[in-house]
Amino acid sequence: MEENDLFRMPPPLHPQAFYTERAAKIMAVRKRGAVPMALVRTYGCQQNVSDSEKIMGMLSQMGFSFTEDPEQADFILFNTCAVRGHAENRVFGNVGALKELKRRYPSILVAVCGCMMEEKSASEHIRRKFPFVGLVFGTHVLHRFPELLCTALEGDGRVFERGDEQEDAVITEGLPARRGSRFRAWLTVMYGCNNFCSYCIVPYVRGRERSRGPHAILGEFRGLVENGYKDITLLGQNVNSYGKTLGDPISFSELLRRLDAVDGDYRLRFMTSHPKDATRELIDTMAGGRHISHHLHLPVQSGSNRILKAMNRGYTRESYLALVEYAKKKIPDLSLTSDIIVGFPGETYEEFRQTVDLIRQVEFTSLFTFIYSPREGTRAAKLPDPVPAEEKTRWLQELCAEQEKISAKRCAGEVGRTRRVLIEGKNSKTGLLHGRTDGSVVIDFPGSEDQVGRFADVRITAARNWVLSGELVPSK
Ligand code: SF4
């Protein structure tokens, strides 16, 4: 071969392109209806939603259409979450319910993926209890999905695949995505977590922190803006650690500034911010941004320093409150939301009350509250946990009642204001449109469906507890 011929050769195909084509050929014959149909069910956080969008993108390339009806599906996939025990049990229940369907239609391929399948005990449970599940794979091998699917479709055995150390480090760029919305998008900027909060399974199932390069992120971001996406959320387990592991490190604030410089009519959000790594520079960047939403999700988890230490969170109640004070001063219309765990092992009622006191001080817009759920393999799961479940439930109710009062007060203060919302949809029961403010508060108001996906100004006319109603302000 002449040296010049090298330049005339087509670029090498993506290694999975071969399997994508092959799966398409197999499914063209194996399908039960006019086209192969897939049902993808997603549990858990936005990262899982984003992963499912990538899997659906790959399935689209194989010629699949999508259904919510298991009776119509040729391929059924559960993308699972490992964060809470009851969610895991729900997955097992839902997988078990497919046994009869698989008996009636043996050609259906049932698969389970996601964080749970990176846990050995959960994937072994599937292996033992659900012999009709043909494909099981973890988060680290998602980029090899077409290959794994082909093996499961062609082979005569079941396929079980979890990541190894090497694959843990892989970031595959260029995977297609079939996005669930035409105006809201998730954009993953980093994977994994190094924090090892004592209650959390995520570092074990999603591996160590690794960041995507800023050029790849900027390219995807520009594409989203050019395609009319209006609300783009950057995703990572701890976005404030973004860039630390890159050969040429950059901070998350710097990444935000580069993205914010892209012209267009959109909002830029991010989650999740760890309070130990959230900096004043981040707050300043939010305050000075053109498109950066004034919404900060900053999970505090507890208001007690002893519990925060036992959780291995790496900050104190005082440092958290100092950051919040700085943020409120810099961004007067800031909307703060948070996560709280109630009933961490060994937590006393007095310590729980310190959390209630903290939420009163901060006045969050809303809270995501959870009763502690032990995860096998984490440090907290080994701690004595003497408080009965009913008692923890009472604490949770107490916390929620307090937050409802705060939310109601905040909402009442909104009446008479005009807020810019992104109109997200129409409620089929009430016939009202609903839109989300910059601070991620939902408002409903009358209007026509063709406005969905656009920004509009809404004047808030009423607050019922923590639900806002309004009316569209005619554009000039
Ligand atoms: S920061 Fe803590 S809670 Fe969040 S994913 Fe990492 S270990 Fe889990």
Side-chain angles (χ1 to χ4, degrees), residues 48-122:
N48 260 17
V49 173
S50 171
D51 285 352
S52 285
E53 288 183 345
K54 291 191 181 106
I55 291 171
M56 290 167 87
M58 292 187 253
L59 286 166
S60 289
Q61 287 186 335
M62 296 168 196
F64 277 90
S65 283
F66 296 91
T67 178
E68 285 300 312
D69 180 4
E71 292 281 336
Q72 286 187 13
D74 298 290
F75 176 58
I76 300 178
L77 175 70
F78 293 92
N79 186 5
T80 63
C81 168
V83 170
R84 263 165 263 287
H86 72 84
E88 290 206 350
N89 294 334
R90 200 151 52 94
V91 167
F92 290 137
N94 291 346
V95 172
L98 292 178
K99 185 177 173 188
E100 170 56 19
L101 188 74
K102 174 73 181 172
R103 193 191 58 74
R104 275 189 285 133
Y105 305 115
S107 69
I108 294 178
L109 177 62
V110 179
V112 187
C113 70
C115 291
M116 254 173 91
M117 295 304 104
E118 288 291 342
E119 288 179 282
K120 196 156 188 282
S121 58

Side-chain angles (χ1 to χ4, degrees), residues 269-373:
R269 302 180 188 274
F270 54 89
M271 66 189 299
T272 298
S273 268
H274 193 304
K276 118 180 126 55
D277 298 314
T279 57
R280 293 188 171 204
E281 186 195 359
L282 173 76
I283 307 294
D284 296 345
T285 305
M286 287 174 73
R290 295 188 300 158
H291 306 96
I292 306 171
S293 158
H294 286 179
H295 172 207
L296 183 60
H297 184 66
L298 200 61
V300 66
Q301 308 298 6
S302 169
S304 149
N305 280 337
R306 191 189 76 80
I307 295 298
L308 287 173
K309 192 149 190 259
M311 287 177 166
N312 193 32
R313 290 291 287 173
Y315 54 88
T316 61
R317 171 192 179 95
E318 291 74 24
S319 65
Y320 184 91
L321 288 172
L323 185 68
V324 163
E325 199 187 326
Y326 181 79
K328 281 181 170 177
K329 253 190 215 136
K330 276 276 169 172
I331 311 172
D333 65 340
L334 181 69
S335 170
L336 277 159
T337 56
S338 198
D339 299 337
I340 305 276
I341 295 174
V342 170
F344 185 80
E347 184 175 24
T348 63
Y349 183 67
E350 287 66 37
E351 286 163 337
F352 160 72
R353 287 300 305 178
Q354 291 174 30
T355 304
V356 177
D357 180 68
L358 182 137
I359 72 158
R360 272 203 204 117
Q361 277 193 52
V362 177
E363 297 201 320
F364 292 105
T365 305
S366 60
L367 284 182
F368 297 88
T369 53
F370 309 94
I371 291 183
Y372 168 75
S373 166

Side-chain angles (χ1 to χ4, degrees), residues 210-214 242-250:
R210 57 243 185 252
S211 297
R212 291 178 68 193
Y242 172 79
K244 288 183 183 163
T245 53
L246 291 171
D248 200 0
I250 78 162

Side-chain angles (χ1 to χ4, degrees), residues 426-439:
K426 186 168 185 162
N427 184 317
S428 54
K429 280 193 195 132
T430 62
L432 294 172
L433 297 178
H434 51 90
R436 193 177 296 269
T437 66
D438 187 54

